[in-house]
Amino acid sequence: MTLRQLLLPVLLSATPVLAQQRYAGGDISVLQSYEDNKVYYYDQKGVRINDVLQYLKSEDVGWNALRVRLFVDPKQKSPDGSTDAQVCQDLDYVVRLCKRIKAEGFALLLDFHYSDTWADPSNQWTPAAWLTLNDTELQAKIYDYTKTCLQRLVAENATPDFIQTGNEISYGMLWGKYGSKANRCYTSSSANWPRFIAFLKQAAKACREVCPQAQIIIHTERAKQASTTVGIYQKLAEVDYDIIGLSYYPFWHGSLATLSGTLNQLATKFPDKKVQVVETAYYYQYQPTTSDITDFSGTWPISKEGQAAFASDLVDELKKHSNVNGVYWWFPEENGNGPNNKVLTGWVNRGLWNNSTHRAHPGLYVLKDYLADESVGVIGLKRTVDSQCWYTLSGMQLDSQPSRHGFYIRDGRKFLIK
């Protein structure tokens, strides 16, 4: 491994922010399972991809951030008795995948679900092992659990850069046993919010202690309802966090104009908070016809070309909003069923690879356009740059001199590790 300094200088100074850092990538939580089951990935031309992570950071794709979810005990059967092969991300699984992500130089977003299974607006069930705990004990548990998980990741060189303390928690979290509505939160009521806020405070406390450089994200999915979204974050005013995280799927959350209105209101009401669209996707085939799905096929056809057109239009919209600095495609690695259906029991049809051909869709190559007008160099740092430290081009500080091939920054100069 050799080190060669390039003639291209990079201007660094003690100025806290040189330019806004943007992040583009996806939630690839099932990738490890696909790879373990020998499901192969191919580019658009049908050439097999030997290392998906390296391909995602290649010039062709150009992603710089990846998201991974974490369940408490996914080996538990879902409270409704169902099973889902996508729910497999226990701590050992997550550490294994996140070590690879960080080693490749991506920014890492860790998504705590605080549940044994899916946590979303309709499902925020307390993990089975925590069901006997009262609210005070749950506060201690969420602190201890968050801290223990983060300590393990740090020890394994997989320190997150962003941490979601809960997944789509518009109505609170840790509701109790399956089917209970007693602990849900609504913006029209003050009930249960002190309980919810206490949990978030304990989660944030653990994050700050173990990963002080990481930014905390509070993630909701009411992007279709701007006033409700604003109301949620107003009620969370005393919670320690950095970034507002949104889910935005047009078939559930409305047009890009609707999203734009929500982003504008968030910029007005919370000028000190950045926003990231931490989940988005669009169908490329077999869009459901259920009552909760709004059909946008007249705008973006249900095809791989239509999917790419949606991604392009979304990128164009997000770049209009200076308060937004991140976008993540949800489940881009979807790639058909594995041997004996070990990976999936059905198709979601919103991924960026084709379930039948296993070839990449054109939409995979669009998200990098969100980063296209960025300046080269270490940007978006919230602290004074240390001239003795090494940084990735995305601005992430490394613990030591890099050992992998690529470009890095040190002492105001750009280096190529060969």
Side-chain angles (χ1 to χ4, degrees):
M1 191 73 67
T2 61
L3 177 67
R4 180 165 66 89
Q5 180 180 327
L6 300 184
L7 295 178
L8 175 65
V10 180
L11 298 177
L12 293 179
S13 70
T15 304
V17 177
L18 303 180
Q20 175 176 301
Q21 170 70 53
R22 290 181 185 159
Y23 300 90
D27 184 319
I28 60 162
S29 298
V30 186
L31 177 63
Q32 191 68 63
S33 182
Y34 273 122
E35 292 177 337
D36 290 345
N37 285 279
K38 301 187 185 307
V39 177
Y40 300 129
Y41 289 77
Y42 300 84
D43 68 13
Q44 290 189 96
K45 297 178 180 179
V47 177
R48 182 175 163 185
I49 300 168
N50 293 321
D51 188 312
V52 174
L53 290 182
Q54 289 188 4
Y55 189 67
L56 291 177
K57 75 170 187 178
S58 70
E59 185 176 350
D60 288 342
V61 181
W63 290 5
N64 66 351
L66 295 172
R67 179 179 186 247
V68 177
R69 60 179 170 265
L70 172 62
F71 299 106
V72 176
D73 185 7
K75 296 181 179 63
Q76 292 280 339
K77 184 174 288 190
S78 295
D80 63 359
S82 66
T83 58
D84 189 332
Q86 289 189 73
V87 181
C88 60
Q89 293 80 19
D90 61 13
L91 185 56
D92 287 339
Y93 179 108
V94 166
V95 166
R96 184 180 169 203
L97 179 55
C98 289
K99 285 176 66 174
R100 296 175 55 204
I101 289 171
K102 291 291 290 187
E104 293 295 343
F106 290 98
L108 170 62
L109 194 171
L110 179 67
D111 175 16
F112 279 100
H113 273 239
Y114 296 122
S115 179
D116 293 333
T117 187
W118 296 114
D120 57 42
S122 301
N123 302 279
Q124 293 285 343
W125 314 118
T126 302
W130 302 3
L131 279 172
T132 60
L133 304 180
N134 61 37
D135 288 350
T136 301
E137 292 168 333
L138 275 175
Q139 291 180 37
K141 173 58 72 173
I142 200 170
Y143 168 79
D144 290 339
Y145 169 74
T146 304
K147 185 172 184 178
T148 297
C149 292
L150 293 176
Q151 286 175 328
R152 170 82 182 278
L153 285 161
V154 170
E156 298 277 2
N157 296 316
T159 303
D161 302 288
F162 303 100
I163 306 170
Q164 269 187 228
T165 51
N167 189 79
E168 294 190 331
I169 50 177
S170 303
Y171 298 99
M173 62 186 185
L174 297 170
W175 291 342
K177 65 181 181 180
Y178 177 69
S180 173
K181 298 182 179 181
N183 292 313
R184 296 190 187 192
C185 297
Y186 300 92
T187 54
S188 59
S189 170
S190 60
N192 300 321
W193 286 94
R195 176 182 184 271
F196 178 32
I197 289 169
F199 293 157
L200 290 177
K201 285 183 174 181
Q202 290 301 309
K205 180 182 177 183
C207 293
R208 298 302 191 202
E209 290 177 359
V210 183
C211 300
Q213 299 297 333
Q215 296 188 16
I216 299 173
I217 299 175
I218 301 294
H219 174 206
T220 62
E221 47 57 69
R222 299 282 96 181
K224 187 176 182 179
Q225 301 162 316
S227 60
T228 299
T229 299
V230 167
I232 292 169
Y233 291 99
Q234 286 176 330
K235 286 184 175 291
L236 300 180
E238 61 186 272
V239 175
D240 179 15
Y241 73 100
D242 305 289
I243 295 172
I244 292 171
L246 301 179
S247 290
Y248 172 68
Y249 302 89
F251 40 85
W252 287 326
H253 302 129
S255 67
L256 286 175
T258 299
L259 174 64
S260 179
T262 299
L263 294 174
N264 288 337
Q265 286 209 32
L266 290 173
T268 299
K269 299 293 186 180
F270 309 99
D272 61 328
K273 302 295 185 186
K274 289 297 183 184
V275 177
Q276 293 189 4
V277 176
V278 297
E279 290 187 23
T280 192
Y282 192 74
Y283 291 98
Y284 67 89
Q285 65 179 4
Y286 306 131
Q287 177 178 256
T289 57
T290 54
S291 60
D292 63 330
I293 293 290
T294 300
D295 184 9
F296 278 92
S297 61
T299 304
W300 306 294
I302 307 302
S303 64
K304 62 182 182 180
E305 293 80 12
Q307 182 188 60
F310 162 73
S312 181
D313 288 348
L314 176 62
V315 164
D316 288 345
E317 181 61 47
L318 295 181
K319 290 172 78 169
K320 299 175 185 176
H321 298 271
S322 60
N323 59 326
V324 179
N325 72 348
V327 58
Y328 298 78
W329 198 274
W330 187 81
F331 197 18
E333 77 278 21
E334 182 186 4
N335 193 15
N337 294 331
N340 302 316
N341 292 337
K342 291 180 181 178
V343 182
L344 293 183
T345 55
W347 291 355
V348 183
N349 299 308
R350 302 197 296 258
L352 297 177
W353 271 272
N354 187 277
N355 281 321
S356 298
T357 68
H358 310 291
R359 291 190 180 191
H361 290 158
L364 178 66
Y365 307 95
V366 173
L367 291 186
K368 67 180 179 181
D369 293 343
Y370 184 60
L371 311 175
D373 61 357
E374 287 198 311
S375 303
V376 176
V378 178
I379 50 184
L381 295 174
K382 295 184 67 177
R383 57 190 180 279
T384 299
V385 175
D386 185 343
S387 63
Q388 300 305 307
C389 292
W390 289 89
Y391 298 86
T392 67
L393 291 183
S394 64
M396 296 296 116
Q397 182 177 325
L398 304 180
D399 295 330
S400 60
Q401 178 174 322
S403 59
R404 288 181 172 265
H405 301 285
F407 289 98
Y408 299 89
I409 304 297
R410 184 173 184 268
D411 195 21
R413 295 176 176 83
K414 188 175 180 180
F415 293 88
L416 173 63
I417 300 292
K418 299 179 65 178

